[in-house]
Amino acid sequence: MELNSTNVLSALGSVLDPVEKKDVVTLGNVKELKIEGNKISFDLIVKSAALQHKKRMEDACSFAMERNFGSEVTCEINVISKVPVKEEGIPGVKTIIAIASGKGGVGKSTVTANVALGLAKKGYNVAIVDADVYGPSIPIMFNVTDETPASMDVNGVNKMVPVEAYGIKIMSLGFFTEPNQPVTWRGAMVTKALKQMFFDTHWVDIDFMLVDLPPGTGDIHLSLVQSTSVSSAIMVTTPQDVAIADVVRGIEMFKLPNINVPVLGIIENMAWFTPAELPDNKYFIFGKNGGKDLAEKIGVPLIGQLPLIQSVREAGDAGRPAILQESTSVNKYFVDIVDKVLMLQEKREKELPHTSVVQMTK
Ligand SMILES: Nc1ncnc2c1ncn2[C@@H]1O[C@H](COP(=O)(O)OP(=O)(O)OP(=O)(O)O)[C@@H](O)[C@H]1O
Ligand SMILES: [Mg+2]
């Protein structure tokens, strides 16, 4: 077949997108088609962030080109994923980032608290929604365990007012339960509580809402993405093999078509330990570079490596997160992580023009 744009489009008309159930040409998903000599290039829009799906569509298009125009023709396809906004956004909230892990106790809440404060330090309005069904720890880390959200009338509707600490607006499942009372949150209860925290709370001008998730891949994750549109997820892991295996499962879950939340990157926590009296020594207690190596292997950005530092634990327990200790090495680790999160989130917003873009100029 002669190599021209009409024939290329006609050949691509045989490539079906199984997600959208039509061919890529009818869907208008082929853009910027160029033919230069023996080289075909075009952008292919895919309405999914799943790597597997993107690869499958790319392969199908390459194959159609080779079958119709022969193997001497080269084909360069730029696959762009544009995930449609699934659910309604939360009024007053621009960007929602979930903080997740596979394994428990790897530092999600510590990362959530410190990243939230780091973003606030840069001038953003930040909220935390603590959705940990097993043990909401954000109220402890912000020293607000005794507080409960007040209520107020907003245009005739009764809304909750988030609890505020160090400038961060906080809602937590912990505010709805008695301290030290074990609560078995069941699926429907969790979904309802989560929706209340999102939609029955008076959020005002929030640039970033961080959602601290329970470990694993449970119902709450599904409830979260079904309740509202989550912009991205940050995965926290320790370098340990068992944690890495679990975080891989977590990343796979975010890629599932019914979840479909892009993973912004991986934070390797407890990456090493340096005792105060031996500042040049690094002890790799949970293994070395597990998170870093995984990030390279699966092509997900490494947001940062955070060592095991006694003051991080103490600060969390004392209800005053470590990043608030200015000009310390601890502070520097978190500040670098916050900068990388902002950079990656900005990049992501550019890739997906349909999402609300946070002004990065503050
Ligand atoms: N880099 C660190 N250095 C020292 N201690 C840390 C560090 N990161 C987390 N911790 C401590 O480890 C414990 C677990 O951390 P955290 O509660 O943040 O984990 P999590 O993933 O939220 O746990 P869970 O799965 O129970 O929600 C806490 O006591 C915390 O203070
Ligand atoms: Mg936690």
Side-chain angles (χ1 to χ4, degrees):
M1 203 187 273
E2 192 193 334
L3 183 56
N4 59 37
S5 49
T6 312
N7 286 344
V8 168
L9 286 175
S10 139
L12 288 173
S14 66
V15 178
L16 287 182
D17 186 322
V19 170
E20 296 192 81
K21 306 206 166 31
K22 283 193 184 133
D23 73 84
V24 292
V25 178
T26 308
L27 288 165
N29 286 350
V30 176
K31 309 256 188 228
E32 307 287 330
L33 173 62
K34 287 193 194 81
I35 299 166
E36 285 157 347
N38 257 354
K39 187 176 156 207
I40 309 166
S41 64
F42 56 89
D43 291 349
L44 180 70
I45 313 291
V46 175
K47 305 240 168 61
S48 157
L51 281 180
Q52 216 179 2
H53 180 62
K54 291 190 326 194
K55 179 85 178 63
R56 185 170 163 188
M57 293 309 297
E58 184 179 352
D59 288 349
C61 290
S62 295
F63 182 65
M65 295 299 92
E66 191 180 328
R67 198 182 46 210
N68 285 279
F69 305 107
S71 52
E72 63 279 5
V73 167
T74 58
C75 180
E76 198 180 290
I77 304 170
N78 178 28
V79 185
I80 302 172
S81 78
K82 282 196 178 170
V83 185
V85 176
K86 288 170 288 190
E87 303 294 338
E88 54 186 316
I90 302 171
V93 179
K94 285 186 194 145
T95 301
I96 303 173
I97 302 179
I99 317 288
S101 73
K103 196 171 169 298
V106 295
K108 286 175 299 299
S109 304
T110 304
V111 163
T112 306
N114 286 286
V115 168
L117 286 162
L119 289 167
K121 185 91 198 301
K122 287 189 179 285
Y124 294 104
N125 280 330
V126 185
I128 294 179
V129 167
D130 176 7
D132 192 337
V133 273
Y134 304 116
S137 43
I138 291 296
I140 299 171
M141 293 186 175
F142 282 84
N143 197 19
V144 288
T145 43
D146 295 335
E147 298 203 26
T148 42
S151 61
M152 71 182 285
D153 185 285
V154 181
N155 301 327
V157 181
N158 196 32
K159 295 264 184 184
M160 291 184 283
V161 183
V163 167
E164 187 171 337
Y166 312 118
I168 308 293
K169 310 282 191 304
I170 302 169
M171 284 302 273
S172 168
L173 286 180
F175 296 146
F176 303 105
T177 55
E178 288 296 313
N180 306 323
Q181 282 289 307
V183 176
T184 336
W185 289 89
R186 294 179 206 288
M189 274 167 78
V190 174
T191 306
K192 190 163 171 240
L194 201 58
K195 284 204 166 147
Q196 280 179 338
M197 292 197 289
F198 287 150
F199 296 103
D200 298 343
T201 302
H202 187 45
W203 300 113
V204 183
D205 279 343
I206 301 295
D207 296 308
F208 290 101
M209 174 181 276
L210 306 185
V211 183
D212 184 14
L213 285 166
T217 52
D219 283 354
I220 186 103
H221 301 80
L222 202 56
S223 293
L224 171 69
V225 294
Q226 284 169 350
S227 304
T228 187
S229 66
V230 178
S231 173
S232 56
I234 293 175
M235 305 301 298
V236 183
T237 184
T238 62
Q240 208 179 351
D241 284 349
V242 284
I244 297 292
D246 286 356
V247 84
V248 169
R249 270 191 282 279
I251 292 171
E252 288 303 320
M253 174 199 64
F254 280 110
K255 281 193 212 153
L256 291 174
N258 59 338
I259 300 234
N260 204 2
V261 172
V263 172
L264 203 62
I266 295 172
I267 295 179
E268 183 184 312
N269 189 20
M270 311 188 191
W272 60 82
F273 171 67
T274 299
E277 60 280 14
L278 294 169
D280 296 329
N281 289 22
K282 280 185 179 177
Y283 297 95
F284 297 93
I285 295 172
F286 295 110
K288 194 173 176 183
N289 289 338
K292 182 167 177 269
D293 292 345
L294 174 72
E296 269 163 32
K297 189 170 148 205
I298 62 174
V300 167
L302 177 75
I303 296 176
Q305 288 175 300
L306 176 67
L308 191 59
I309 306 169
Q310 189 170 334
S311 63
V312 168
R313 200 270 306 149
E314 288 168 350
D317 288 351
R320 197 170 188 282
I323 195 171
L324 294 172
Q325 298 158 15
E326 299 284 337
S327 333
T328 57
S329 62
V330 180
N331 176 282
K332 174 86 174 73
Y333 281 114
F334 283 120
V335 169
D336 287 350
I337 285 174
V338 169
D339 285 344
K340 191 79 183 275
V341 166
L342 277 174
M343 188 271 281
L344 290 168
Q345 182 63 28
E346 192 171 11
K347 188 162 159 254
R348 188 187 123 57
E349 308 264 354
K350 278 192 191 133
E351 280 167 8
L352 293 172
H354 67 281
T355 55
S356 61
V357 178
V358 172
Q359 285 297 321
M360 294 292 167
T361 47
K362 270 194 177 180

